[in-house]
Amino acid sequence: MMSPHICRLLLGAEHRHLLPASCLFGGVFLAACDTVARLVLAPAELPVGVITAFLGGPFFLWLLLRRVVARDVAG
């Protein structure tokens, strides 16, 4: 769920570029999170959802707070 938002911040809202970039970024991000989840507790495996939630929760809170602050500043 994070990859389209991150790609939109980096590339803009043009869907021609956003859709392929979101697919690629989502796959790379999930593979990286899976690698981290396998390495954190070496003999055991941490569920990959824990890593993605640990990164995704603060990101979505940042997006929400950024929008609220921008609305307050605009008036």
Coordinates of all heavy atoms in Angstrom, one line a residue:
M1 N 0.8 -1.2 0.0 CA 0.0 0.0 0.0 C 0.9 1.3 0.0 O 0.4 2.3 -0.4 CB -0.9 0.0 1.2 CG -2.0 -1.0 1.2 SD -3.1 -1.0 2.6 CE -3.8 0.6 2.4
M2 N 2.1 1.1 0.4 CA 2.9 2.3 0.5 C 3.5 2.7 -0.9 O 3.8 3.9 -1.2 CB 4.1 2.1 1.4 CG 3.8 2.0 2.9 SD 5.2 1.6 3.9 CE 6.5 2.4 3.2
S3 N 3.7 1.7 -1.7 CA 4.5 2.0 -3.0 C 3.8 3.0 -3.9 O 4.5 3.8 -4.4 CB 4.8 0.7 -3.7 OG 3.6 0.0 -4.1
P4 N 2.5 3.0 -4.1 CA 2.0 4.0 -5.0 C 2.1 5.4 -4.4 O 2.4 6.4 -5.1 CB 0.5 3.7 -5.1 CG 0.4 2.2 -4.7 CD 1.5 2.0 -3.8
H5 N 2.0 5.5 -3.1 CA 2.2 6.9 -2.4 C 3.6 7.4 -2.5 O 3.8 8.5 -2.8 CB 1.7 6.8 -1.0 CG 0.3 6.5 -0.8 ND1 -0.7 7.4 -1.0 CD2 -0.4 5.4 -0.5 CE1 -1.9 6.9 -0.8 NE2 -1.7 5.6 -0.5
I6 N 4.5 6.5 -2.3 CA 5.9 6.9 -2.4 C 6.3 7.2 -3.8 O 7.0 8.2 -4.1 CB 6.9 5.8 -1.9 CG1 6.7 5.6 -0.3 CG2 8.3 6.0 -2.2 CD1 7.4 4.5 0.3
C7 N 5.8 6.4 -4.8 CA 6.1 6.7 -6.2 C 5.5 8.0 -6.7 O 6.0 8.7 -7.4 CB 5.7 5.5 -7.1 SG 6.7 4.1 -6.9
R8 N 4.3 8.3 -6.2 CA 3.6 9.5 -6.5 C 4.4 10.7 -6.0 O 4.5 11.8 -6.6 CB 2.2 9.5 -6.0 CG 1.4 10.7 -6.4 CD 0.0 10.7 -5.9 NE -0.7 9.5 -6.2 CZ -1.5 9.4 -7.3 NH1 -1.7 10.4 -8.1 NH2 -2.1 8.3 -7.6
L9 N 5.0 10.6 -4.8 CA 5.8 11.7 -4.2 C 7.0 11.9 -5.1 O 7.5 13.0 -5.3 CB 6.2 11.4 -2.8 CG 5.1 11.5 -1.8 CD1 5.5 11.0 -0.4 CD2 4.6 12.9 -1.6
L10 N 7.6 10.8 -5.6 CA 8.9 10.9 -6.3 C 8.7 11.2 -7.8 O 9.5 12.0 -8.3 CB 9.6 9.5 -6.2 CG 10.1 9.1 -4.8 CD1 10.7 7.7 -4.9 CD2 11.1 10.1 -4.3
L11 N 7.6 10.7 -8.4 CA 7.5 10.8 -9.9 C 6.4 11.8 -10.3 O 6.3 12.2 -11.4 CB 7.2 9.5 -10.5 CG 8.3 8.4 -10.3 CD1 7.8 7.1 -10.9 CD2 9.6 8.9 -10.9
G12 N 5.5 12.1 -9.4 CA 4.3 12.9 -9.8 C 3.1 12.0 -10.1 O 3.1 10.8 -9.9
A13 N 2.0 12.6 -10.5 CA 0.8 11.9 -10.6 C 0.5 11.4 -12.0 O -0.6 10.9 -12.3 CB -0.4 12.9 -10.2
E14 N 1.4 11.4 -12.9 CA 1.2 10.9 -14.3 C 1.1 9.4 -14.2 O 2.1 8.7 -14.0 CB 2.2 11.4 -15.2 CG 1.9 11.0 -16.7 CD 2.9 11.6 -17.6 OE1 3.7 12.5 -17.2 OE2 2.9 11.2 -18.8
H15 N -0.1 8.8 -14.6 CA -0.3 7.4 -14.4 C 0.5 6.5 -15.4 O 0.8 5.4 -15.1 CB -1.8 7.1 -14.6 CG -2.6 7.7 -13.5 ND1 -2.6 7.2 -12.2 CD2 -3.5 8.7 -13.5 CE1 -3.5 7.9 -11.5 NE2 -4.0 8.8 -12.2
R16 N 0.9 7.1 -16.5 CA 1.7 6.3 -17.4 C 3.0 5.9 -16.8 O 3.5 4.8 -17.1 CB 2.0 7.2 -18.6 CG 2.8 6.5 -19.7 CD 2.9 7.4 -20.9 NE 3.4 8.7 -20.5 CZ 3.5 9.8 -21.4 NH1 3.1 9.6 -22.6 NH2 3.9 10.9 -21.0
H17 N 3.6 6.7 -15.9 CA 4.8 6.3 -15.2 C 4.6 5.7 -13.8 O 5.4 5.0 -13.4 CB 5.7 7.5 -15.1 CG 6.1 8.2 -16.4 ND1 6.9 7.5 -17.3 CD2 5.8 9.4 -16.9 CE1 7.0 8.3 -18.4 NE2 6.3 9.5 -18.1
L18 N 3.5 6.1 -13.2 CA 3.2 5.8 -11.9 C 2.9 4.3 -11.7 O 3.4 3.6 -10.8 CB 2.1 6.6 -11.3 CG 1.7 6.5 -9.8 CD1 2.9 6.9 -9.0 CD2 0.5 7.3 -9.5
L19 N 2.1 3.7 -12.6 CA 1.7 2.3 -12.5 C 2.9 1.4 -12.6 O 3.1 0.5 -11.7 CB 0.7 2.0 -13.5 CG 0.1 0.5 -13.4 CD1 -0.6 0.3 -12.1 CD2 -0.8 0.3 -14.6
P20 N 3.8 1.5 -13.6 CA 4.9 0.5 -13.6 C 5.9 0.8 -12.5 O 6.5 -0.2 -11.9 CB 5.6 0.8 -15.0 CG 4.7 1.7 -15.7 CD 3.7 2.3 -14.8
A21 N 6.1 2.0 -12.1 CA 7.0 2.3 -11.0 C 6.5 1.8 -9.7 O 7.3 1.3 -8.9 CB 7.2 3.9 -10.9
S22 N 5.2 1.9 -9.5 CA 4.6 1.3 -8.3 C 4.8 -0.2 -8.2 O 5.1 -0.7 -7.1 CB 3.1 1.7 -8.2 OG 3.0 3.1 -8.0
C23 N 4.6 -0.9 -9.3 CA 4.7 -2.3 -9.4 C 6.2 -2.7 -9.1 O 6.4 -3.6 -8.3 CB 4.3 -2.8 -10.7 SG 2.5 -2.7 -11.0
L24 N 7.1 -2.0 -9.7 CA 8.5 -2.4 -9.5 C 9.0 -2.0 -8.1 O 9.6 -2.8 -7.4 CB 9.4 -1.6 -10.5 CG 9.3 -2.1 -11.9 CD1 10.1 -1.2 -12.8 CD2 9.9 -3.5 -12.0
F25 N 8.6 -0.9 -7.6 CA 9.0 -0.5 -6.2 C 8.3 -1.4 -5.2 O 9.0 -1.7 -4.2 CB 8.6 1.0 -6.0 CG 9.0 1.5 -4.6 CD1 10.3 1.8 -4.3 CD2 8.1 1.6 -3.6 CE1 10.7 2.2 -3.1 CE2 8.4 2.0 -2.3 CZ 9.8 2.3 -2.1
G26 N 7.1 -1.7 -5.4 CA 6.4 -2.6 -4.4 C 7.1 -4.0 -4.3 O 7.3 -4.5 -3.2
G27 N 7.5 -4.5 -5.5 CA 8.2 -5.8 -5.4 C 9.6 -5.7 -4.8 O 10.0 -6.6 -4.0
V28 N 10.3 -4.7 -5.1 CA 11.6 -4.5 -4.5 C 11.5 -4.2 -3.0 O 12.3 -4.8 -2.2 CB 12.4 -3.3 -5.2 CG1 13.7 -3.0 -4.5 CG2 12.7 -3.7 -6.7
F29 N 10.5 -3.4 -2.6 CA 10.3 -3.1 -1.2 C 10.0 -4.3 -0.4 O 10.5 -4.6 0.7 CB 9.2 -2.0 -1.1 CG 8.9 -1.7 0.3 CD1 9.8 -1.0 1.1 CD2 7.7 -2.1 0.9 CE1 9.5 -0.6 2.4 CE2 7.4 -1.8 2.2 CZ 8.3 -1.1 3.0
L30 N 9.1 -5.2 -1.0 CA 8.7 -6.4 -0.2 C 9.8 -7.4 -0.2 O 10.0 -8.0 0.9 CB 7.5 -7.0 -0.9 CG 6.8 -8.1 -0.1 CD1 6.3 -7.5 1.2 CD2 5.6 -8.6 -0.9
A31 N 10.6 -7.5 -1.2 CA 11.8 -8.4 -1.2 C 12.8 -7.9 -0.1 O 13.4 -8.7 0.6 CB 12.4 -8.5 -2.6
A32 N 13.0 -6.6 -0.1 CA 13.9 -6.0 0.9 C 13.4 -6.3 2.3 O 14.2 -6.6 3.2 CB 14.2 -4.5 0.7
C33 N 12.1 -6.1 2.6 CA 11.5 -6.3 3.9 C 11.6 -7.8 4.2 O 11.9 -8.2 5.4 CB 10.1 -5.9 3.9 SG 9.9 -4.1 4.0
D34 N 11.5 -8.7 3.3 CA 11.6 -10.1 3.5 C 13.0 -10.5 3.9 O 13.2 -11.3 4.8 CB 11.2 -10.9 2.3 CG 11.2 -12.4 2.6 OD1 10.6 -12.9 3.5 OD2 11.8 -13.1 1.8
T35 N 14.0 -9.9 3.2 CA 15.4 -10.1 3.6 C 15.7 -9.6 5.0 O 16.3 -10.3 5.8 CB 16.3 -9.4 2.6 OG1 16.0 -9.9 1.3 CG2 17.8 -9.6 2.9
V36 N 15.2 -8.5 5.4 CA 15.4 -7.9 6.7 C 14.7 -8.8 7.7 O 15.3 -9.2 8.8 CB 14.9 -6.5 6.8 CG1 14.9 -6.0 8.3 CG2 15.8 -5.6 6.0
A37 N 13.5 -9.3 7.4 CA 12.8 -10.2 8.4 C 13.5 -11.5 8.6 O 13.5 -12.1 9.7 CB 11.4 -10.4 7.8
R38 N 14.2 -12.0 7.6 CA 14.9 -13.3 7.7 C 16.3 -13.1 8.5 O 16.8 -14.0 9.1 CB 15.2 -13.9 6.4 CG 14.0 -14.4 5.7 CD 14.4 -14.9 4.3 NE 13.2 -15.1 3.5 CZ 12.7 -16.4 3.3 NH1 13.4 -17.4 3.8 NH2 11.6 -16.6 2.6
L39 N 16.8 -11.9 8.4 CA 18.1 -11.6 9.0 C 18.1 -11.1 10.5 O 19.0 -11.2 11.2 CB 18.9 -10.7 8.2 CG 19.3 -11.2 6.8 CD1 20.1 -10.1 6.0 CD2 20.2 -12.4 6.9
V40 N 16.9 -10.5 10.9 CA 16.9 -9.9 12.2 C 17.0 -10.9 13.3 O 17.8 -10.7 14.2 CB 15.6 -9.1 12.3 CG1 15.3 -8.6 13.7 CG2 15.6 -7.8 11.4
L41 N 16.3 -11.9 13.3 CA 16.4 -13.0 14.3 C 16.9 -14.2 13.5 O 16.1 -15.1 13.2 CB 15.0 -13.3 14.9 CG 14.3 -12.1 15.5 CD1 12.9 -12.5 15.9 CD2 15.1 -11.6 16.7
A42 N 18.2 -14.3 13.4 CA 18.9 -15.2 12.5 C 18.3 -16.6 12.4 O 17.9 -17.1 11.3 CB 20.4 -15.2 12.7
P43 N 18.3 -17.4 13.4 CA 17.8 -18.8 13.2 C 16.3 -18.8 13.0 O 15.7 -19.7 12.3 CB 18.1 -19.5 14.5 CG 18.7 -18.6 15.4 CD 18.8 -17.3 14.7
A44 N 15.5 -17.9 13.6 CA 14.1 -17.8 13.4 C 13.7 -16.8 12.4 O 14.6 -15.9 12.0 CB 13.4 -17.5 14.7
E45 N 12.5 -16.8 11.9 CA 12.0 -15.8 10.9 C 11.0 -14.9 11.5 O 10.1 -15.4 12.2 CB 11.4 -16.5 9.7 CG 12.5 -17.1 8.8 CD 11.9 -17.6 7.5 OE1 10.8 -17.1 7.1 OE2 12.4 -18.6 6.9
L46 N 11.1 -13.6 11.3 CA 10.1 -12.7 11.7 C 9.1 -12.5 10.6 O 9.5 -12.5 9.4 CB 10.8 -11.3 12.0 CG 10.1 -10.2 12.6 CD1 9.7 -10.5 14.0 CD2 10.9 -8.9 12.6
P47 N 7.8 -12.5 10.9 CA 6.9 -12.3 9.8 C 7.1 -11.0 9.0 O 7.4 -9.9 9.7 CB 5.5 -12.2 10.5 CG 5.7 -12.9 11.8 CD 7.2 -12.6 12.2
V48 N 7.1 -11.0 7.7 CA 7.4 -9.8 6.9 C 6.4 -8.7 7.2 O 6.7 -7.5 7.0 CB 7.5 -10.2 5.4 CG1 6.2 -10.5 4.8 CG2 8.2 -9.2 4.6
G49 N 5.2 -9.1 7.6 CA 4.2 -8.1 7.9 C 4.6 -7.2 9.0 O 4.2 -6.0 9.1
V50 N 5.4 -7.7 9.9 CA 5.8 -6.9 11.1 C 6.8 -5.8 10.6 O 6.6 -4.6 11.0 CB 6.6 -7.8 12.1 CG1 7.2 -6.9 13.2 CG2 5.6 -8.7 12.7
I51 N 7.6 -6.1 9.6 CA 8.6 -5.1 9.1 C 7.8 -4.1 8.3 O 8.0 -2.9 8.4 CB 9.6 -5.8 8.2 CG1 10.4 -6.8 9.0 CG2 10.6 -4.8 7.6 CD1 11.2 -6.3 10.1
T52 N 6.9 -4.5 7.4 CA 6.1 -3.6 6.6 C 5.2 -2.7 7.4 O 5.1 -1.5 7.1 CB 5.3 -4.3 5.5 OG1 4.4 -5.2 6.1 CG2 6.2 -5.0 4.5
A53 N 4.6 -3.2 8.5 CA 3.8 -2.4 9.4 C 4.7 -1.4 10.1 O 4.2 -0.3 10.4 CB 3.0 -3.3 10.3
F54 N 5.9 -1.8 10.5 CA 6.8 -1.0 11.3 C 7.2 0.2 10.4 O 7.4 1.3 10.9 CB 8.0 -1.8 11.7 CG 9.0 -1.0 12.5 CD1 8.7 -0.6 13.8 CD2 10.2 -0.6 12.0 CE1 9.6 0.1 14.6 CE2 11.1 0.1 12.7 CZ 10.8 0.5 14.0
L55 N 7.3 0.0 9.1 CA 7.7 1.1 8.2 C 6.4 1.8 7.7 O 6.5 3.1 7.5 CB 8.5 0.6 7.0 CG 9.8 -0.1 7.4 CD1 10.4 -0.7 6.2 CD2 10.8 1.0 7.9
G56 N 5.4 1.1 7.4 CA 4.2 1.7 6.8 C 3.4 2.6 7.7 O 2.8 3.6 7.3
G57 N 3.2 2.2 9.0 CA 2.5 2.9 9.9 C 2.9 4.4 10.1 O 2.2 5.3 9.9
P58 N 4.2 4.6 10.4 CA 4.7 5.9 10.5 C 4.6 6.7 9.2 O 4.4 7.9 9.2 CB 6.2 5.8 10.9 CG 6.2 4.4 11.6 CD 5.2 3.6 10.9
F59 N 4.8 6.0 8.1 CA 4.7 6.7 6.8 C 3.3 7.3 6.6 O 3.1 8.4 6.2 CB 5.1 5.8 5.7 CG 4.9 6.4 4.3 CD1 5.8 7.4 3.9 CD2 3.9 6.0 3.5 CE1 5.6 7.9 2.6 CE2 3.7 6.6 2.2 CZ 4.6 7.5 1.8
F60 N 2.3 6.4 6.8 CA 0.9 6.9 6.6 C 0.5 8.0 7.6 O -0.2 8.9 7.3 CB -0.1 5.7 6.7 CG -0.1 5.0 5.4 CD1 0.2 3.6 5.3 CD2 -0.4 5.6 4.2 CE1 0.2 2.9 4.2 CE2 -0.4 4.9 3.0 CZ -0.1 3.6 3.0
L61 N 1.0 7.9 8.9 CA 0.8 9.0 9.8 C 1.4 10.3 9.3 O 0.8 11.4 9.5 CB 1.3 8.6 11.2 CG 0.5 7.6 12.0 CD1 1.2 7.2 13.2 CD2 -0.9 8.1 12.2
W62 N 2.6 10.2 8.8 CA 3.3 11.4 8.2 C 2.5 12.0 7.1 O 2.3 13.2 7.0 CB 4.7 11.0 7.8 CG 5.4 12.1 7.1 CD1 5.9 13.2 7.6 CD2 5.6 12.3 5.6 NE1 6.5 14.0 6.7 CE2 6.3 13.5 5.4 CE3 5.2 11.5 4.6 CZ2 6.6 13.9 4.2 CZ3 5.6 11.9 3.3 CH2 6.2 13.1 3.1
L63 N 2.0 11.1 6.2 CA 1.1 11.6 5.1 C -0.1 12.3 5.6 O -0.5 13.4 5.1 CB 0.7 10.5 4.2 CG 1.7 9.9 3.2 CD1 1.0 8.8 2.4 CD2 2.1 11.0 2.2
L64 N -0.8 11.7 6.6 CA -2.0 12.3 7.2 C -1.7 13.6 7.9 O -2.4 14.6 7.7 CB -2.6 11.3 8.2 CG -3.8 11.8 8.9 CD1 -5.0 11.9 7.9 CD2 -4.2 10.8 10.0
L65 N -0.6 13.7 8.7 CA -0.3 14.9 9.4 C 0.2 16.0 8.5 O -0.1 17.2 8.7 CB 0.8 14.6 10.5 CG 0.3 13.8 11.6 CD1 1.5 13.5 12.5 CD2 -0.8 14.5 12.4
R66 N 0.9 15.6 7.4 CA 1.3 16.6 6.4 C 0.1 17.3 5.7 O 0.1 18.5 5.5 CB 2.2 15.9 5.4 CG 2.8 16.9 4.4 CD 3.6 16.1 3.4 NE 2.7 15.4 2.5 CZ 3.0 15.3 1.2 NH1 4.2 15.6 0.8 NH2 2.1 14.7 0.4
R67 N -0.9 16.5 5.4 CA -2.1 17.0 4.8 C -2.9 17.9 5.8 O -3.4 19.0 5.4 CB -3.0 15.9 4.3 CG -4.3 16.4 3.7 CD -5.0 15.3 3.1 NE -4.3 14.8 1.9 CZ -4.6 13.7 1.3 NH1 -5.6 13.0 1.6 NH2 -3.9 13.3 0.2
V68 N -3.0 17.5 7.0 CA -3.7 18.4 8.0 C -3.0 19.7 8.3 O -3.6 20.7 8.3 CB -3.8 17.6 9.4 CG1 -4.3 18.5 10.5 CG2 -4.8 16.4 9.2
V69 N -1.6 19.7 8.4 CA -0.8 20.9 8.6 C -1.0 21.8 7.3 O -1.1 23.0 7.5 CB 0.6 20.5 8.9 CG1 1.5 21.8 8.8 CG2 0.7 19.9 10.2
A70 N -0.9 21.2 6.2 CA -1.1 22.0 4.9 C -2.4 22.7 4.9 O -2.6 23.8 4.4 CB -0.8 21.2 3.7
R71 N -3.5 22.0 5.3 CA -4.8 22.6 5.3 C -4.9 23.7 6.3 O -5.6 24.7 6.1 CB -5.8 21.5 5.6 CG -7.2 22.0 5.4 CD -8.3 20.9 5.7 NE -7.9 19.6 5.3 CZ -8.4 18.5 5.8 NH1 -9.3 18.5 6.8 NH2 -7.9 17.3 5.4
D72 N -4.3 23.5 7.5 CA -4.3 24.6 8.5 C -3.6 25.8 8.1 O -4.0 26.9 8.4 CB -3.8 24.1 9.8 CG -4.7 23.1 10.5 OD1 -5.9 23.1 10.2 OD2 -4.2 22.4 11.4
V73 N -2.5 25.6 7.4 CA -1.7 26.8 6.9 C -2.4 27.5 5.8 O -2.4 28.8 5.8 CB -0.3 26.3 6.5 CG1 0.5 27.4 5.7 CG2 0.5 25.8 7.6
A74 N -3.1 26.8 5.0 CA -3.8 27.4 3.8 C -5.0 28.2 4.3 O -5.5 29.1 3.6 CB -4.2 26.4 2.8
G75 N -5.5 27.9 5.5 CA -6.5 28.7 6.0 C -7.8 28.1 6.2 O -8.9 28.5 6.3

